[in-house]
Amino acid sequence: MELLLLILSTLLILTLVCHFFYLNKQNGPEKLPLPPGHVSWPFKYFETLDYLKKAKTDAIHEFIAERVHKYKNSKCFKTYHVGQKMVFLTSAEGNKFLFSNDYKLVRSWWPDTFLKVLENAGDEITIEDVTRARKQFLSFFNEPDALARHVAITDQVVQDHFRRYWDGCNEVRVYPLARKLTFDVSFRLLADIRDREILDESLPLMVQVVRAFFALPINFPGTTFNRAIKSSRKLRKIFVDIIKERRSELLEKKNLDERNDILSRILVENYKEGKDVDDVFLAKNLVALLSAAFDNPSATITSIMKNLADLPEISEKVRKEPPASGTFREAIEDFNYEGFRIPKGWKVHWSIHATNRNPEYFPNPETFDPSRFERNDPIVPYSYVPFGGGQHICPGKDYAKLQILLFMHHAVRKFKWEKVNPDEQMIRDPDLSPAKGLPVRLCPYACDNELA
């Protein structure tokens, strides 16, 4: 009798447990609908083409706004982007949700082309590799006095840049020069490279690498992807040579402790701790960091120069007191967002275009009006996130600001300028840049009246 009661009790408990899990499953995210939108054939190709068309004319915000309106102000929609089923979040609340759930519901993700361009002849580099190396590299940037140490170095590079490429010129193309400057600064801070020959050889290679991060992964001679892989290998070779030379200096007991660049600091730390880091692995991560460090600040500098040329009254105010489009995550489990199911493995995209250029958050978003941030108007939390947020907030944000600030300080103190092509537009090809490189006519302040 006791045995029978034990069996019946066990069966009852199992029945209750199974019923609980059944009810939980019925109410779980897997029973929710997917966000509105198109990810199936043939619509996914039309989605991709429409995005690329809008991106070409710097109108990604229109791509997002059209779908928000179409799907009745939905806070998210699904689409097909960079070869993946992807959910776009379209509100400040969505930004907060994503940033708050790093490594809980989502993790960092980049297109496969990003990793393939950086890998080395079959020796694959993974997101985990990049993240681990990134933490070590950037720990030096986050030291309490790190920014102060680098202000003088960055300012010296900026002043040398103006003396070499701007002073005495009647006309310059801003975008390629801004790229050259931010590349020089980034290379100097990362590896203390000052050799003009190395810098001039490396910049075109890095431009090829960056262009392929969102390109089609077609590895045939002449394609963007193929050129990027070849350029990445050449860059790694340059870095490996630098690393070997720096290691040799370390073994000869030259005082690398006096160097402030990241590479030297890492080599010294690893040497003291007896760690042996592969030169190629270190070089690949230097290429990855350099690609992230130089491109976005140059686009920002160019945009500011373009807008100040259109609004000289603001340029004069700046002279008196000079002061990325988003990233991806991958769902690590099914989860519920705004009543929709985001399936495990799907990609999630937050874009600054969803909020920065949305009149719901910023009146007249197309107007260049820096004073909007001086009026103490309330800003909706997570609506202005130029550097992302959460655990993946841009670790180099202060350095990007520093480069931009120092460049603009010297530019507005030295020159007035006007655009050679008044109607020149910003385009994406694939990065945001002026269609013709933004040529401007310069007038040093000694010749104030010539542009008046």
Side-chain angles (χ1 to χ4, degrees):
M1 187 67 178
E2 291 181 357
L3 179 61
L4 179 61
L5 287 174
L6 179 62
I7 293 172
L8 290 174
S9 299
T10 303
L11 289 173
L12 178 61
I13 292 171
L14 288 173
T15 301
L16 291 172
V17 169
C18 292
H19 184 64
F20 170 79
F21 280 109
Y22 174 77
L23 290 177
N24 189 58
K25 185 175 180 181
Q26 287 293 96
N27 296 323
E30 62 271 16
K31 291 298 179 182
L32 295 171
L34 294 172
H38 297 292
V39 294
S40 58
W41 189 90
F43 301 104
K44 63 182 184 180
Y45 298 111
F46 297 129
E47 290 284 294
T48 298
L49 290 172
D50 191 36
Y51 182 93
L52 293 175
K53 178 182 176 181
K54 298 256 187 343
K56 184 77 173 177
T57 57
D58 192 29
I60 295 174
H61 60 291
E62 294 180 6
F63 175 88
I64 296 171
E66 287 172 2
R67 283 150 183 79
V68 170
H69 177 73
K70 179 179 180 180
Y71 304 127
K72 300 179 180 178
N73 294 318
S74 175
K75 296 294 181 68
C76 63
F77 63 86
K78 66 177 183 285
T79 187
Y80 197 74
H81 183 47
V82 293
Q84 299 286 333
K85 294 176 180 178
M86 191 166 294
V87 175
F88 275 54
L89 305 186
T90 63
S91 67
E93 296 85 357
N95 293 342
K96 180 180 180 181
F97 175 85
L98 203 63
F99 301 152
S100 302
N101 282 288
D102 274 330
Y103 299 109
K104 299 174 186 175
L105 300 177
V106 295
R107 62 183 177 188
S108 181
W109 178 84
W110 283 97
D112 290 343
T113 49
F114 174 80
L115 298 177
K116 289 177 180 177
V117 166
L118 295 177
E119 70 186 36
N120 180 47
D123 178 21
E124 294 186 355
I125 183 171
T126 67
I127 284 289
E128 289 73 22
D129 291 334
V130 174
T131 301
R132 184 169 59 252
R134 177 178 179 266
K135 286 181 178 178
Q136 184 187 25
F137 276 65
L138 296 172
S139 65
F140 296 109
F141 275 122
N142 295 325
E143 291 173 346
D145 62 339
L147 188 64
R149 287 200 312 267
H150 293 142
V151 168
I153 297 172
T154 304
D155 190 49
Q156 178 189 339
V157 176
V158 172
Q159 291 191 56
D160 290 345
H161 171 85
F162 272 99
R163 281 193 293 268
R164 182 184 293 266
Y165 301 109
W166 292 69
D167 290 353
C169 295
N170 296 320
E171 183 177 313
V172 298
R173 292 175 68 231
V174 174
Y175 183 60
L177 287 182
R179 268 191 156 184
K180 184 182 287 289
L181 169 67
T182 56
F183 186 79
D184 288 358
V185 170
S186 301
F187 220 145
R188 180 75 170 273
L189 295 180
L190 281 174
D192 194 24
I193 297 301
R194 314 178 192 201
D195 188 313
R196 192 72 255 163
E197 185 176 340
I198 294 177
L199 293 168
D200 289 342
E201 178 187 2
S202 302
L203 177 55
L205 297 175
M206 181 54 71
V207 170
Q208 291 292 343
V209 168
V210 171
R211 284 182 60 83
F213 284 163
F214 298 98
L216 294 174
I218 302 173
N219 192 7
F220 290 125
T223 63
T224 299
F225 188 60
N226 180 264
R227 288 195 296 267
I229 289 176
K230 292 179 179 178
S231 296
S232 180
R233 288 173 178 164
K234 291 178 181 177
L235 276 171
R236 281 197 297 274
K237 175 63 169 59
I238 291 172
F239 270 116
V240 166
D241 290 343
I242 293 170
I243 293 167
K244 289 183 183 300
E245 181 180 343
R246 204 65 55 85
R247 280 190 192 279
S248 176
E249 293 177 4
L250 181 62
L251 293 173
E252 291 173 9
K253 305 299 182 183
K254 292 184 179 178
N255 193 2
L256 293 186
D257 286 325
E258 295 180 356
R259 290 182 182 266
N260 284 316
D261 64 285
I262 303 303
L263 173 60
S264 296
R265 299 287 301 280
I266 286 177
L267 291 176
V268 169
E269 181 183 85
N270 289 339
Y271 178 76
K272 290 179 178 178
E273 296 179 2
K275 295 179 181 178
D276 185 22
V277 180
D278 178 70
D279 289 351
V280 174
F281 177 77
L282 195 55
K284 285 189 291 189
N285 282 283
L286 281 167
V287 173
L289 284 174
L290 187 58
S291 69
F294 95 100
D295 207 41
N296 289 330
S298 61
T300 303
I301 285 171
T302 306
S303 295
I304 294 173
M305 292 286 289
K306 175 181 179 295
N307 284 300
L308 290 182
D310 293 331
L311 300 166
E313 66 280 7
I314 294 179
S315 178
E316 185 59 27
K317 288 176 65 178
V318 173
R319 180 175 186 261
K320 291 176 180 176
E321 189 179 357
S325 62
T327 57
F328 304 98
R329 303 289 195 274
E330 179 181 46
I332 56 180
E333 61 179 71
D334 286 13
F335 63 86
N336 172 4
Y337 177 70
E338 290 290 325
F340 295 109
R341 175 169 63 96
I342 312 299
K344 178 182 178 180
W346 275 40
K347 309 307 181 282
V348 186
H349 183 43
W350 73 270
S351 172
I352 60 173
H353 302 281
T355 53
N356 285 18
R357 297 173 74 170
N358 186 338
E360 177 183 342
Y361 299 108
F362 298 101
N364 303 312
E366 299 302 317
T367 302
F368 181 68
D369 180 16
S371 65
R372 70 171 79 235
F373 297 103
E374 298 175 356
R375 295 194 292 265
N376 295 320
D377 295 340
I379 296 178
V380 176
Y382 293 92
S383 62
Y384 185 68
V385 284
F387 296 102
Q391 295 189 50
H392 289 284
I393 191 170
C394 175
K397 64 183 188 302
D398 291 329
Y399 292 87
K401 293 177 183 177
L402 175 63
Q403 290 182 54
I404 295 165
L405 173 65
L406 289 173
F407 177 91
M408 293 311 306
H409 167 78
H410 289 289
V412 299
R413 299 295 292 179
K414 283 173 169 287
F415 305 107
K416 286 185 177 181
W417 61 89
E418 63 180 13
K419 294 190 293 186
V420 173
N421 305 301
D423 299 324
E424 185 173 8
Q425 300 298 312
M426 300 294 284
I427 62 171
R428 288 186 181 271
D429 187 31
D431 309 306
L432 185 65
S433 61
K436 298 180 180 179
L438 192 63
V440 297
R441 281 185 285 270
L442 299 176
C443 178
Y445 268 94
C447 65
D448 249 358
N449 298 325
E450 293 183 16
L451 286 180

